[in-house]
Amino acid sequence: MPSYGICIRAIESERYKVIDQQKNIVLEEIEESKAFFQVYEGAVYMNQGRYYLVKKLDLSSKVAFCQEADLKYYTKTRDYTDIHVIGGDVAYAANATVELSLPKYSYESQAVWIQVPQSVKTAVEKANLAFRAGLHAASHAVLNIVPMNVSVSHKENSLHRHIDTVGVGTRNGDSHLAAPSRVLFLYPSYYKRPSRYIICNSSDLAPECFNPHDTRYFPERILLYDQHPGGTGLSMRAQPFFTEMLTAALQLVTSCCCSGDTGCPNCVQSLACHEYNGLLNKDAAIMIIKGVIESEKAAFGRVGDVADRD
């Protein structure tokens, strides 16, 4: 049957097999984009409630060999992600570290972004705040808007939040909190048009996350990209409302009552952060988002009433 040739767990054609060396059985097949982060040599891999130690990752045959082990530790990776814009337009219209030697993995996708003016960066630095930490936090704040029902209303000036019910699911036999579906609802305040909905999973979109130990150059922008090769179209659907998302993100951060520089999961922290929320600054994020909104207002006119109020 044709349906037998379609994998319901993956959309990528290239997959790696995870094999139990002792029993010589296939435990699972993993997408290539995830294999380097889950089954690299020395990784602790969990399947059906059992722990396995990955002994070898064969890149030529796309097979990860592992064996069951009684382990008292876990492993996680820290990656370096570079996003190169090749086309399109701007958004508006563990305790121990081990160096791994793995090949680069790259793919083309889709993204929506907005540039941060140099004047905003200068103002943040004059306030003795870390610009990169603020940019990271601002990106998280915009991403955190996605799981909400966002309504920016001309009359109410209000932000309505609704998180879908979080249930308990299973993956490979392990109990975990199932990520809620993200429903993005935006109602622009300055013109009348139907409400827009974007439904996606928690792993479908991601921002640029900065490694606190990395000194490479990063573009000065707030960006969300589709985390699947070829793109899923979600970021493109959000493009017409990106400035409204900034307005909603600003209200989210300014209304949060947490007092720490690094914020909290309600405002600028993200469970999906590739860098484990290691470089964040809430105050700098507020300055950056405000500066971008003001720049957009100056260039294109009215952006949103939430920004007007601050």
Side-chain angles (χ1 to χ4, degrees):
M1 295 180 64
S3 59
Y4 291 166
I6 305 297
C7 178
I8 64 174
R9 293 181 177 270
I11 62 175
E12 297 179 29
S13 58
E14 298 294 334
R15 296 190 290 271
Y16 279 64
K17 292 183 178 179
V18 182
I19 296 179
D20 185 340
Q21 281 185 310
Q22 296 171 319
K23 298 181 180 179
N24 195 29
I25 59 174
V26 177
L27 299 174
E28 187 181 5
E29 290 190 2
I30 300 178
E31 294 174 305
E32 184 178 40
S33 61
K34 299 178 181 178
F36 297 153
F37 302 94
Q38 297 181 8
V39 289
Y40 53 88
E41 186 173 328
V44 175
Y45 170 74
M46 196 171 185
N47 181 274
Q48 298 293 330
R50 297 182 178 181
Y51 290 92
Y52 295 85
L53 181 64
V54 179
K55 305 298 290 185
K56 180 182 179 181
L57 178 62
D58 191 327
L59 299 176
S60 59
S61 61
K62 300 186 185 301
V63 175
F65 298 95
C66 61
Q67 64 182 35
E68 189 171 352
D70 182 16
L71 302 172
K72 306 300 182 184
Y73 64 92
Y74 65 94
T75 57
K76 59 183 180 180
T77 60
R78 167 166 278 154
D79 68 289
Y80 297 86
T81 301
D82 290 326
I83 300 174
H84 301 283
V85 176
I86 60 175
D89 204 346
V90 295
Y92 191 89
N95 295 330
T97 302
V98 178
E99 292 292 331
L100 300 173
S101 179
L102 293 171
K104 293 182 179 179
Y105 176 77
S106 63
Y107 60 85
E108 291 189 10
S109 187
Q110 296 176 329
V112 57
W113 75 95
I114 199 163
Q115 207 70 26
V116 177
Q118 181 64 35
S119 58
V120 175
K121 179 181 179 181
T122 301
V124 171
E125 292 175 343
K126 282 185 177 180
N128 294 321
L129 298 174
F131 177 75
R132 287 184 66 187
L135 195 60
H136 190 184
S139 299
H140 279 187
V142 176
L143 180 65
N144 287 341
I145 288 298
V146 180
M148 304 178 183
N149 279 356
V150 179
S151 175
V152 182
S153 172
H154 174 64
K155 295 182 178 180
E156 298 178 1
N157 263 341
S158 60
L159 172 67
H160 303 289
R161 176 173 183 174
H162 170 71
I163 302 295
D164 290 344
T165 302
V166 179
V168 176
T170 58
R171 181 183 181 190
N172 300 334
D174 307 320
S175 296
H176 72 291
L177 286 177
S181 297
R182 297 177 169 187
V183 181
L184 175 59
F185 168 60
L186 288 165
Y187 185 77
S189 60
Y190 54 94
Y191 57 97
K192 295 181 180 179
R193 65 185 302 174
S195 303
R196 302 301 180 106
Y197 294 85
I198 298 178
I199 302 176
C200 59
N201 292 325
S202 60
S203 60
D204 287 336
L205 289 170
E208 292 177 294
C209 295
F210 302 114
N211 187 326
H213 307 293
D214 191 8
T215 57
R216 296 178 301 166
Y217 167 76
F218 279 93
E220 296 154 0
R221 63 193 178 193
I222 298 174
L223 178 147
L224 295 180
Y225 69 94
D226 297 342
Q227 283 202 107
H228 297 284
T232 57
L234 294 171
S235 61
M236 299 303 294
R237 290 184 63 188
Q239 181 183 14
F241 314 112
F242 202 65
T243 47
E244 281 75 32
M245 292 172 66
L246 288 172
T247 300
L250 177 60
Q251 182 168 350
L252 174 69
V253 179
T254 54
S255 63
C256 186
C257 59
C258 67
S259 57
D261 291 339
T262 57
C264 70
N266 186 59
C267 56
V268 300
Q269 293 183 12
S270 172
L271 294 175
C273 179
H274 298 163
E275 298 301 334
Y276 316 109
N277 298 299
L279 186 67
L280 299 172
N281 190 291
K282 179 180 176 180
D283 292 336
I286 293 174
M287 290 187 65
I288 290 171
I289 298 175
K290 279 185 177 180
V292 171
I293 291 175
E294 290 171 358
S295 175
E296 291 297 293
K297 286 176 64 179
F300 301 102
R302 190 172 179 178
V303 173
D305 290 317
V306 176
D308 293 336
R309 188 185 59 185
D310 295 308

